[in-house]
Amino acid sequence: MDNRPIGVFDSGLGGLTVVRELLERLPHEDIVYFGDTGRVPYGSRSPEMVKHYAMQDCGLLLKQNVKYIIAACGTVSSVAGEVLKALPVPAMGVVEPTVEAALAATKTGRIGVIGTAVTVRSGSFEQAIKCARPDAQVFAQACPVLVTLVESGWVEENNPATEAVARQYLEPLMDHKIDTLILGCTHFPLLAPVISRILGESVTLINSGAATAAKCASLLQQRDMLSASDSMGSCQFFVSDQPYNFTRVAEMFLGRAVREDVRRVDMEGIG
Ligand code: DGL
């Protein structure tokens, strides 16, 4: 048993889609979340910069004495695997659990992936899919503008601007007749209703947040690292820019009010 908190980080708000699923699956765990809201988006930066940020983000969580770290960010998970492996606590990203869920869901082996430019350029999801199922066909599409729309809270199913942008990104994938779509950026589960409406019921959406939280829960159980507490766990939130916008949009991500303090940290001071 291990009563220390689980650390979760993302470039901004997207990783809260993992936190939401963790809260459901592991209600007795304490969670420390860091959203690097002052430096979002990561998805249009160089892989070197993303690794550097990931190292700093993990450093901040380790200072909070976390027992496990989840890189709840498709971009970090795609290019900073070596940073996660070198940590003094176990860590995981979103690629492997999400790919496992997609492979379990697909019938035709025609799988779409949407993510940031860095994620798509890295080929991380495609490699993991092909490794497990070499005959699969993978069609990837970078959707950077969707990240901005989500950070701005433009997630309503009937938002015409969001629908127009999503349609433009998704049409090429529809032409490839995919039966499964990986939401390879943790911001995108919030757009699932818009995406589903465009793609129709024949395409199964794979939510990286749900797949990752489920995998984390089973790993902690296997390693006997779950909390021994039987009271409800607490959440602590840290951000690197002013917290007002975070709180407003975070409520949409979490599906509940954010009553906890959201603390601002200065990433300039972190080596
Ligand atoms: N949430 C991040 C991801 O999953 C994307 C946002 C960004 O570009 O920083 O890739």
Side-chain angles (χ1 to χ4, degrees):
M1 293 298 188
D2 189 333
N3 286 357
R4 291 176 296 166
I6 301 171
V8 183
F9 75 95
D10 179 40
S11 56
L13 290 150
L16 292 173
T17 54
V18 177
V19 172
R20 180 182 182 145
E21 304 285 342
L22 282 175
L23 291 172
E24 259 176 43
R25 286 183 163 78
L26 300 173
H28 305 300
E29 296 294 324
D30 291 336
I31 294 174
V32 179
Y33 184 80
F34 173 59
D36 198 359
T37 51
R39 306 193 294 196
V40 66
Y42 284 7
S44 50
R45 299 182 193 271
S46 67
E48 290 68 35
M49 190 59 87
V50 174
K51 282 183 218 169
H52 177 64
Y53 288 169
M55 223 175 317
Q56 292 183 321
D57 301 345
C58 291
L60 185 134
L61 291 174
L62 288 170
K63 278 199 192 128
Q64 298 301 315
N65 194 29
V66 297
K67 62 181 167 188
Y68 196 88
I69 290 183
I70 302 178
C73 173
T75 308
V76 169
S77 309
S78 294
V79 298
E82 71 223 48
V83 172
L84 301 181
K85 279 199 196 104
L87 294 173
V89 297
M92 70 186 289
V94 297
V95 175
E96 281 176 22
T98 312
V99 164
E100 276 173 27
L103 288 171
T106 186
K107 293 196 176 65
T108 62
R110 299 178 74 81
I111 302 172
V113 178
I114 54 173
T116 66
V118 168
T119 297
V120 168
R121 232 181 282 125
S122 77
S124 58
F125 284 94
E126 179 160 10
Q127 278 161 27
I129 291 169
K130 294 272 190 179
C131 188
R133 185 167 164 183
D135 67 320
Q137 286 192 281
V138 183
F139 307 96
Q141 174 72 50
C143 306
V145 177
L146 294 185
V147 175
T148 312
L149 291 170
V150 172
E151 285 283 324
S152 311
W154 289 32
V155 297
E156 313 83 23
E157 191 181 344
N158 55 2
N159 185 307
T162 306
E163 163 142 17
V165 173
R167 190 173 286 283
Q168 189 158 344
Y169 284 136
L170 295 172
E171 259 162 13
L173 296 176
M174 288 157 86
D175 293 343
H176 288 301
K177 308 236 175 313
I178 55 168
D179 77 340
T180 303
L181 178 68
I182 290 179
L183 307 180
C185 168
T186 50
H187 281 67
F188 296 168
L190 269 170
L191 297 175
V194 184
I195 294 171
S196 267
R197 207 165 68 171
I198 295 169
L199 294 181
E201 278 172 16
S202 59
V203 179
T204 306
L205 303 188
I206 306 296
N207 171 346
S208 52
T212 305
K215 183 85 177 184
C216 172
S218 78
L219 283 175
L220 289 180
Q221 190 159 21
Q222 273 165 29
R223 295 174 187 205
D224 194 23
M225 287 176 70
L226 288 171
S227 165
S229 163
D230 51 15
S231 50
M232 292 303 279
S234 67
C235 281
Q236 285 188 74
F237 298 105
F238 293 89
V239 290
S240 55
D241 197 0
Q242 55 93 2
Y244 167 69
N245 193 41
F246 177 89
T247 309
R248 193 177 58 84
V249 186
E251 303 198 335
M252 278 188 253
F253 271 80
L254 288 175
R256 69 151 171 86
V258 174
R259 286 170 228 95
E260 300 84 350
D261 277 348
V262 178
R263 278 181 275 169
R264 182 174 178 177
V265 288
D266 178 11
M267 296 310 281
E268 298 292 314
I270 295 190

